[in-house]
Amino acid sequence: MQAAGWSTASIAKTWLKEELFSDLESIKVQTLILHGIHDKVVLFELAKIQNQCIRNSKLIPFKFSGHGVFYDEKDKFNKELMEFIEE
């Protein structure tokens, strides 16, 4: 399924008013960030900001993925997730 372009643009406009990162520094638990570098929905730069702001976080970039890392690179996704859980 694909969203209509007008609906995606309309939702994206609402994000301009949001404070997306104000509470990231309050996260105290170990955090895994899995993100595709070709993501056009949530840009990879946002994952970098999350990684910088969340003290105990680990960012795993997915070189061959967009927004669906769990689909595009499912073996790597499962491996990284299992390693994180088992730590």
Side-chain angles (χ1 to χ4, degrees):
M1 296 189 323
Q2 292 184 344
W6 65 266
S7 62
T8 302
S10 183
I11 291 296
K13 286 180 187 177
T14 67
W15 296 338
L16 297 174
K17 299 174 188 169
E18 295 292 327
E19 286 190 35
L20 299 175
F21 306 110
S22 62
D23 58 351
L24 290 180
E25 292 179 355
S26 68
I27 297 173
K28 305 284 189 231
V29 296
Q30 195 174 15
T31 303
L32 179 63
I33 304 165
L34 305 170
H35 206 104
I37 64 169
H38 303 288
D39 194 335
K40 301 294 186 214
V41 178
V42 179
L43 300 179
F44 187 71
E45 289 300 315
L46 298 177
K48 289 180 182 179
I49 293 169
Q50 289 175 333
N51 188 45
Q52 291 170 357
C53 293
I54 300 172
R55 187 173 315 136
N56 198 14
S57 66
K58 179 179 181 180
L59 172 60
I60 306 292
F62 282 70
K63 295 190 283 189
F64 306 108
S65 294
H67 193 63
V69 296
F70 57 90
Y71 180 80
D72 296 334
E73 295 182 69
K74 63 183 174 201
D75 292 336
K76 179 179 178 179
F77 176 87
N78 289 330
K79 176 186 165 292
E80 296 293 349
L81 183 59
M82 290 305 298
E83 286 178 7
F84 180 76
I85 291 169
E86 292 170 351
E87 287 181 359

